[in-house]
Amino acid sequence: MIDFSLSAFVTLLLVVDPVGLVPAFLAATAGMPDTAKRTIAWRAPLIAASILVVIALVGNWLLRQLGIGIPAFQIAGGLLLFGVSYQMIFGDRPHREAREADKATAEHVSDVAVFPLAIPMMAGPGAIATTLLLSGDAGHGARLAIIIAVVLSVCLLCMLCFVSAHLIARTLGRTGNAVLSRVLGMLLAAYSVQFVLNGIVAVRTSLS
């Protein structure tokens, strides 16, 4: 149970990357008063957590209704997560997210806590796929409760990072943020390949 909890936490943490979201938060809230920044800092993670918890609770039921097996979703989700990890390693994910947040703010989006911070930066395709994969492995009962606790913990870390965004940005700097993103991307790539392998093994087992 401890290994399952740790694996689930690390996987979702790598996908969401709370520290990597700091530039996006700073860009989205630039020029806002401190009270507004604090409100967004707790509201955005709360919205993202609500979305991911609902996905964890009903996502697999929805897959069954659509006739999609867990092994198929493991393979598809693993490939999707590999794409996210590729962007983290070879791309410019933190700065790209900051530019997207800046663009959304420039277009006078009324509530940046919902878009782009909660959706799609925290509860984006990668996080949704990860939550579905983890809840599929968990089944029901205690393990599903662990997945919900993991979602809430990662979103709480996002909240803490947003509250201390200026301090983190000064400490890491541009180079530090780029190095951290690439290291986490390598770990996420390994996890994504493991998801694909698990799906292939499950398919072979069902056919044999």
Side-chain angles (χ1 to χ4, degrees), residues 90-111:
F90 298 105
D92 194 20
R93 185 184 177 192
H95 297 99
R96 176 176 54 81
E97 289 175 340
R99 289 193 296 270
E100 290 177 355
D102 194 36
K103 179 182 178 182
T105 305
E107 293 174 352
H108 306 290
V109 176
S110 58
D111 195 348

Side-chain angles (χ1 to χ4, degrees), residues 55-107:
I55 291 296
L57 292 174
V58 304
N60 287 284
W61 171 84
L62 180 60
L63 289 180
R64 287 195 299 271
Q65 299 305 308
L66 296 174
I68 301 174
I70 293 301
F73 199 85
Q74 284 179 316
I75 296 172
L79 294 174
L80 176 61
L81 293 183
F82 188 83
V84 174
S85 67
Y86 183 89
Q87 290 180 351
M88 293 174 69
I89 297 170
F90 298 105
D92 194 20
R93 185 184 177 192
H95 297 99
R96 176 176 54 81
E97 289 175 340
R99 289 193 296 270
E100 290 177 355
D102 194 36
K103 179 182 178 182
T105 305
E107 293 174 352

Side-chain angles (χ1 to χ4, degrees), residues 1-174:
M1 193 70 73
I2 294 176
D3 290 341
F4 176 79
S5 304
L6 183 60
S7 176
F9 177 75
V10 170
T11 304
L12 190 60
L13 182 68
L14 292 175
V15 173
V16 177
D17 187 13
V19 176
L21 291 175
V22 166
F25 175 80
L26 292 174
T29 59
M32 294 184 180
D34 290 340
T35 53
K37 291 180 180 180
R38 284 193 294 270
T39 300
I40 293 172
W42 65 262
R43 191 177 180 196
L46 184 61
I47 294 170
S50 301
I51 294 170
L52 295 178
V53 167
V54 170
I55 291 296
L57 292 174
V58 304
N60 287 284
W61 171 84
L62 180 60
L63 289 180
R64 287 195 299 271
Q65 299 305 308
L66 296 174
I68 301 174
I70 293 301
F73 199 85
Q74 284 179 316
I75 296 172
L79 294 174
L80 176 61
L81 293 183
F82 188 83
V84 174
S85 67
Y86 183 89
Q87 290 180 351
M88 293 174 69
I89 297 170
F90 298 105
D92 194 20
R93 185 184 177 192
H95 297 99
R96 176 176 54 81
E97 289 175 340
R99 289 193 296 270
E100 290 177 355
D102 194 36
K103 179 182 178 182
T105 305
E107 293 174 352
H108 306 290
V109 176
S110 58
D111 195 348
V112 295
V114 177
F115 176 84
L117 292 178
I119 308 168
M121 292 185 179
M122 278 184 282
I128 290 174
T130 301
T131 303
L132 276 171
L133 289 171
L134 293 174
S135 60
D137 289 340
H140 301 283
R143 289 198 168 197
L144 182 59
I146 288 174
I147 297 304
I148 294 174
V150 164
V151 167
L152 296 177
S153 299
V154 172
C155 289
L156 178 60
L157 284 176
C158 288
M159 185 184 302
L160 295 176
C161 287
F162 290 165
V163 170
S164 55
H166 285 284
L167 178 60
I168 293 174
R170 286 199 303 268
T171 302
L172 287 179
R174 186 184 183 93

